[in-house]
Amino acid sequence: MSATNIVLGVIGFDCHSVGNKILEAWFTESGFKVTNLGVMVSQEEFIAAAIETDAKAILVSSLYGHGEIDCAGLREKCIEKGLEDILLYVGGNLVVGKTPFPQVEEKFLKMGYDRVFGPDCSLEKVSEMLKADIAAKAK
Amino acid sequence: MTSNRVICVDIGSTYTKGAIFRLAEDRFVVEARAVTPTTVDYLPDGFFTVVQQLSPGADWHNLTAADAPCPVYFSSSAKGGLKVAVVGLVPEMSLQIARLAAFSAGARICASYPYRLTRSCISSIEKAQPDILLLCGGTDGGNERYVTENAQALAASDFNGTIVYAGNNAAVDRVSDLLADRELVICENLMPDFGRLNIEPVREAIRRVFLDRIVSGKGLDRLVAAFATQPVPTPLAVLNLVRVVGENIEGWQNFALIDMGGATTDFYSFADAYNPDSGTIMKGIVEPKLKRTVEGDLGMRVSAESTFETGEAYLAAVSDFSTEQMAALKNYVMGLTTNTGHLPANAIERYYDSLLAGACIYHSLMRHAGSIEEVFTAKGRVWAQTGKDLRRVSRIVGTGGYLAAMAREGSAVAISDRAVLPTEKTPLLPEKFVYLSDNDYILPLLGNLAEKFPRQCALTAVSSLTVTQHYEVKEPCQREFIKA
C-alpha cells in the first residue's frame, strides 16, 4: 500500500513560506506523500495538483488575513472538477482582527471545509484527524 | 571515417534537398547542393537522384554502406511528417508536458485531449489516424482512473496506430492488459511528481516508433538498409542543431530559431525558462531549456488563409491598411491557398508576403513565450510568471525558404518586442537581439550531422548565418523587479 497523497500550499497572494516548509516536513514524516505547491497558490493550481496526484485531501494555509476571500468557492470548484469526495482542511490566521475562533470556524465550515484550524493548533492532532477522516471517507 | 566528406539529404513533403559537405579543420564546407521534387510514391527515387548529382562518380543505386564513397545521413518530413495525437489529464499540467514532449520529438500534433476521451474524441482520432497516440496523465501513484478509462475507450476503438503510454506508473498493468492487442510502448511517466518534467524517455520512445513504423512502407527502409544509418524527422534534425549550437558555441546560450514554411511555423528556443533572480514567482511548470512549438495555422502558402484569419488584427495594426487595402490583401491570400507554388510577382506582393511572414512570426512568438503579471500583495509588488521567459534571448535565427528569400532580397523581417495587440498579461519577449538569416537555407541539412559531429556542426551553423537586423527595446517592460 503506497502512501496517501495530499496537496499542500499557501493560498492567494500570500508569501509566508516558513510554516509551509514545516507543514511539508511534518506531514511527510507522518507518512503522507505530500505535493507541496509552496506559496501564492491559486485555487486552480490546488485542484490541478489534486487531480493529477489523486490526492485525498487539500490542505490550505493562509496567514496574511485575506483567507476568507481567497478560500471562498474552493469546495464548489472541486465539485465542478469531479473532486466531490476530497477533504478540504484550512488553517492559519484566517481573518484579520480579533474575531473569536468559533466564529471563524463556523464561517469556513459553511464554505465547505471539513476542518478549520487556528494558528496555534497541534500538528500531531491534525495528522491524526487527517488519517481518521481519510479512513472514514474510504469506507 | 575514410573520407572527410559527408552527404546529407532531407526528404521534404515537396522537395528532396541534399548537400555534400567537406570537413575542413573544425567545420564543414558545402561543396555541392542538389534538389529534386520528392517522389511521393517511392521516396528512394528522389533520394538517389539527389545523391547521384552530388557525387556522380559512384553508382549509388547499387552500393552498400561499406563501399559508399562517403557516409550519408538523412531526415524526412515526407507525407506530412510524424502525426501524433496527445491525450492527457489536466490541460496545463500533464497535457501541456505531453505536448512539449511530442514537439521535442519532432512530431506534428494533430489533436490533444484533456480528461476523458468521449465518443466524439474517439471518432475524431479514428478519422485522423495519427501515427502515434501519446497517452498520459496522473503522477506516479496518483490518478489512475482517467488513464484506465481512456485506455478502455481506445481498446474499443478502430484506431490502429502505436500507443505510447507515459502516465501514472501504478496504472501500467491495467493499461497494458486493456491494450494487449495494440502496438503499445510503455515508458516512464512524463510527470512522475507534480510539476516535475521527465521528457527524455517519451522523446526516445517516439523516435523509436518513428524508425520502426514510419520508416517502413514509404521505401525509407531500403535506404536504412543500404546506408546503415537511421533517419530522423526533419524537425528533430533542426532541434538537434539548436541544441548543439547552445551547448557548444560561446555567446549562444540564449537564442531562438524560427523555421517558417508554407504550412507551419516552427519556433525553437534554447534559453533558461525561469530566472529565479529576477524576482518573479513561477506559476505552473518550468518549461525545458530546449523547447519547440509548432503552429499549424501559421504558414505562408497552404496555411495562408488561416494565417490571415489568426493575424487579421495584427495585420491591420501594423500595416495601417484601409478596408479596401485589407480586402486586397485577403484576396491575395485566398489566391495563395489554391496556388501554393506562387512567388510574389511585384513589389506589392512582396510587401504582402512580408506582412504575412510578420504575422506568422508574431503569433508563433507570442504562443511560444510565457508572460508575467504584476500582483500587489500585503508585502508589496510581486511578479507571477507562467510559461517561458524569452527576455534574455539575444539572437533570433530565421530559416526556411521564405525567410531566406526575404533576407536575400533585403526585405526586413518584422519581429515585435512587445504585444502589438492588447493582452491581459505582459508577454516575456526578447528585449534586445540581432536577427540572423540562414540565407543559404542550409540549417535543416546540417542538423543531420548534429549527433555525430556536434561541435563542427554547431560552428558551421553559426558561421553560415548572416546578421541582417538589430533590434532593441526602447523602454523595457520591466525596469526593475522587487524581490519576493
Side-chain angles (χ1 to χ4, degrees), chain B residues 87-98:
Chain B
V87 181
L89 183 43
V90 177
E92 55 275 14
M93 296 310 304
S94 53
L95 185 61
Q96 168 67 0
I97 298 170

Side-chain angles (χ1 to χ4, degrees), chain B residues 26 54 95 108 110 123 125 161 177 194 196 220 229 278 309-310 331 337 366 376 395 429 443 445 451 469:
Chain B
D26 60 349
L54 292 171
L95 185 61
R108 192 164 64 81
C110 62
S123 70
I125 291 170
D177 289 350
F194 188 76
R196 182 157 72 84
L220 292 177
T229 173
S278 65
E309 278 167 26
T310 307
N331 201 32
T337 313
M366 290 291 282
F376 291 93
R395 291 182 172 87
L429 306 182
L443 296 186
L445 283 172
E451 296 219 309
Q469 284 154 268

Side-chain angles (χ1 to χ4, degrees), chain A residues 2 5 12-16 33 35 37 39-42 44-45 47-54 64 66 81-82, chain B residues 89-90 92-95 115 137-143 145-146 191 193-194 281 283-284 375-379 382:
Chain A
S2 56
N5 285 321
F13 295 116
D14 193 340
C15 317
H16 290 89
K33 170 100 165 60
T35 295
L37 302 175
V39 298
M40 292 184 68
V41 181
S42 67
E44 287 72 19
E45 288 171 278
I47 291 168
I51 295 174
E52 294 273 7
T53 61
D54 197 25
Y64 70 156
H66 303 258
K81 287 284 188 179
Chain B
L89 183 43
V90 177
E92 55 275 14
M93 296 310 304
S94 53
L95 185 61
Y115 304 109
T139 55
D140 282 347
N143 191 295
R145 200 181 94 204
Y146 286 93
M191 184 175 72
D193 289 307
F194 188 76
I281 282 192
K283 311 291 275 178
V375 173
F376 291 93
T377 73
K379 280 184 146 183
V382 293

Side-chain angles (χ1 to χ4, degrees), chain A residues 22-84:
Chain A
I22 296 171
L23 291 184
E24 179 182 359
W26 173 263
F27 287 108
T28 307
E29 281 286 295
S30 310
F32 292 98
K33 170 100 165 60
V34 182
T35 295
N36 185 10
L37 302 175
V39 298
M40 292 184 68
V41 181
S42 67
Q43 294 193 354
E44 287 72 19
E45 288 171 278
F46 277 112
I47 291 168
I51 295 174
E52 294 273 7
T53 61
D54 197 25
K56 301 291 174 242
I58 296 175
L59 277 56
V60 178
S61 303
S62 179
L63 278 298
Y64 70 156
H66 303 258
E68 194 177 339
I69 196 148
D70 289 340
C71 293
L74 181 61
R75 173 58 78 191
E76 287 77 4
K77 264 195 201 127
C78 284
I79 295 170
E80 287 279 358
K81 287 284 188 179
L83 297 174
E84 297 90 341

